[in-house]
Amino acid sequence: MHALIQAIILGILTGGVYALMASGQTLIFGIMKVVNLAQGALVVLGAYLTYTLFTQLGIDPFLSVLITTPLLFLVGVAVQWALLRPLHSDDVGQLSLLVTFAVALGVEGVLSFAYGTTLTNIQPSYANTSWTILGYQVSLVRFVAFVLSLVMLGLLYLILQRTKFGRSVRATVQNPMSAQLLGVNAQRVSAIGFGLGTATAAAAGSVFGMLNSFNPGSHYDLISRLLTIVVLGGLGSIGGSVIAALVMGVASSVVSALASPIWSDFSFFIVLLLVLLLRPRGLFGARTRGAL
Amino acid sequence: MQLQNPAPRLRRRVLAAIAATALAALALAGCTTGSGTGPSSTSPLTIGISLSLTGDFSDSGKAAQRGYQLWADVTNKAGGVLGRKVQLTIVDDASSPDQVVTNYTNLITQKKVDIVFGPFSSLLTVPASRVVNRYGYSFIEPAGGGPSVFAQKLGNLFFVQPAPTTEGGNVFADYILSLPKNERPATAGYAKLDDPFAAPIAENIQKRFEAAGIKTVYDQTYPAETADMTPIMSGMAAANPDVVVGGSQEADAFAQMKAMIQLKFNPKWLFESNGANSPADFPAAVGAANTEGVFSSADWYADSTVAGSAKFISDYTAKFGGTAQTIDPTSAEAYSAGMLLEQVAKKTGKVDNATIIKTLHSGTWPTLVGNLSWDQYGAPKGAYLLVQWINGKLTTVYPAATAAASPVAPKPNWAG
């Protein structure tokens, strides 16, 4: 019982971090119908930026989010403007796969060149600190990361629900043609939306770098996880991806601790398969896609 | 008589064919093994090497490159090998098993190098060694020690490390089983990475522990993509074994230990087959204060007491900068490949491939990674050193003959 509860605690905390990465991914799909294969690479880029700020300037990895988030927002806007905008709208779904994969490979290449391929990790003084609560261990980094994810998701929610830009985004998601007819600048919404999606990778990256050793090739594992989370949650649904990330976190952690780590990812895919058989659009795909 | 006619014609043809084949073979032999390897030659001694200078293994590939280059420089300064200057031809294989085949074929048939040395990793050594074997070259290789390398049963291959990679943990089992029975651990837990270079190391230890009555209370194998080791280690902590054996590579070894620290689980003995033997990366990954008492195995490291190590370190830091602690063992292994060649030349007065193969198959050969000798298929017959972090430094603690200090047990608590 103790092991089960410990595993659930771990799973929820880990799931929170994946929720943050996946929310950016699903936002981009919701707005542009682009499956962003570069999201994992951008998380790794975020981790390296945090690493540099921490080791060179001594900036705390959590505080550095204030610097890396705008930076990755700009990277996202630039990628959208330079590489995705010129694609013909009929082919955007397929071509964007190639383009974003190329971005992922490009980011990986630049990082390999700049940092080498050896595994790195961000090690602030509190990296291994954990609290004992009722006999269970709660890691400080995981807990703060979880809270940070909630804060970022909350900000994202506020932007989408309470701002004029958010309204434009939601309108574009529901019906791009009508939104354009009503004066929504689709290009601008796409660029900023893509930027917001990639900006979530900054906070996710700093946390990812503290929890795991990483190198420029780490994005392959990440992107496969993110894609399954996003599909389980329902493409385009932020709430869905948060729940899916928590499901994945808890399922992997519990199976890993109580059965075998070999089955841990597999168990998640079984959940994914079952959900897709019953609800082909994912947990929240059909119902809330318009509402975001 | 007519019946007999075709026979002489046939015989002539057969003879001609044999002669042509023999000529071609001679010519080929001249192209490969016979090109200027005579002891009297004063032409440079050309050595061809394919290394992963880009791609997944590029950091290790570059470390091997530094080791080879340093050996060549030091040797040339001292007058070369048998008076011949060493000339390295290093080409990039981008960490690709296909490119490595092309590279060695080119080095041997086009560049006509005298000698070849090995690439980085077993993945590339296997295809490379087949090519090299086909052309009758010797293959001194510092970085391909997996079972797949020796399973090929090639007689020209020599792995420049103390033992096959999967036997890396045997020295830890030797140490534990050397303890008096009442001081030995009673229970053991194993966390193994599903990888041909990781899990078998722990399995070999486990076999010996179980045979000696050390009970297995936790045994888990995890796939390579497992990023988060905390759930596994929480299972381990619940089983609470006296000794934890990690059959690991680098990243997962760090993750295992970070998880143990966070779960406040401190076993009496902790052995990690890899990762913990990295003098620079390990303290950076888990925090310097948390390294205390962790065991691993190694062939060469900065505080190694092997003869020639101090000179290697001073030459290395003079050429490439940095500190002794930041030297990758791969550099020392590559350097040792050169040392072997030099010793063969000194002993026999020759540096042709046939002599190298024949000579290395007998005797023991001192290198930076210990005294080496091999079985007929190039698997080294020695053992790694057991190292432990004591006062923030990797220290050899077993076998006693080479130990700089006694092993510390039980392991001090994590610093957190």
Side-chain angles (χ1 to χ4, degrees), chain A residues 3 6-7 10 14 18 108 112 115-119 121-123 125 127-132 137-139 141-142 208-213 221 225 252-254 256-263 265, chain B residues 54-60 62 194 218 220-232 234-235 238 250-252 254-255 257-259 261-264 281 283-288 290 328 416:
Chain A
Q6 179 74 62
L10 282 170
T14 310
Y18 280 105
E108 183 190 349
S112 303
Y115 294 94
T117 53
T118 308
L119 292 155
N121 106 7
I122 306 166
Q123 188 73 23
S125 57
N128 297 319
T129 308
S130 62
W131 300 304
T132 311
Q137 306 301 327
V138 179
S139 136
V141 171
R142 276 171 209 269
F208 178 74
M210 277 188 278
L211 292 178
N212 303 290
S213 294
D221 280 344
R225 270 161 206 269
S252 308
S253 177
V254 168
S256 196
L258 302 185
S260 157
I262 302 273
W263 294 101
D265 284 345
Chain B
T54 54
D56 290 349
F57 310 141
S58 59
D59 283 359
S60 300
K62 285 174 190 158
D194 190 9
Y218 187 82
Q220 239 2 318
T221 304
Y222 50 88
E225 61 273 15
T226 309
D228 189 0
M229 218 53 78
T230 324
I232 299 163
S234 71
E250 207 169 273
D252 55 315
F254 299 159
M257 286 183 275
K258 282 175 76 108
I261 299 166
Q262 290 175 10
L263 293 164
K264 301 195 169 83
D281 296 346
V286 301
N290 287 316
D328 190 319

Side-chain angles (χ1 to χ4, degrees), chain A residues 43-73 122-124 126 144 148 152 199-210 214:
Chain A
V43 170
V44 177
L45 174 64
Y48 271 106
L49 287 175
T50 311
Y51 172 79
T52 304
L53 290 171
F54 176 65
T55 52
Q56 302 297 317
L57 303 173
I59 299 176
D60 181 87
F62 283 117
L63 285 181
S64 68
V65 169
L66 296 174
I67 303 169
T68 54
T69 304
L71 275 177
L72 276 179
F73 174 79
I122 306 166
Q123 188 73 23
Y126 51 79
V144 178
L148 181 71
M152 298 301 273
T200 61
S206 100
V207 173
F208 178 74
M210 277 188 278
F214 57 94

Side-chain angles (χ1 to χ4, degrees), chain B residues 81-95:
Chain B
V81 175
L82 299 176
R84 296 167 67 185
K85 289 275 175 209
V86 173
Q87 203 175 70
L88 300 183
T89 305
I90 295 178
V91 286
D92 180 16
D93 53 47
S95 314

Side-chain angles (χ1 to χ4, degrees), chain B residues 114-161:
Chain B
D114 299 320
I115 307 287
V116 288
F117 284 161
F120 185 81
S121 86
S122 294
L123 181 73
L124 302 193
T125 298
V126 168
S129 59
R130 283 192 205 126
V131 175
V132 172
N133 185 267
R134 196 181 309 143
Y135 290 101
Y137 272 57
S138 60
F139 202 39
I140 301 175
E141 53 93 3
S148 54
V149 173
F150 309 116
Q152 303 179 99
K153 302 190 173 174
L154 302 177
N156 65 327
L157 183 142
F158 302 92
F159 175 46
V160 193
Q161 285 185 33

Side-chain angles (χ1 to χ4, degrees), chain B residues 243-258:
Chain B
V243 52
V244 170
V245 175
S248 54
Q249 291 288 13
E250 207 169 273
D252 55 315
F254 299 159
Q256 280 185 20
M257 286 183 275
K258 282 175 76 108

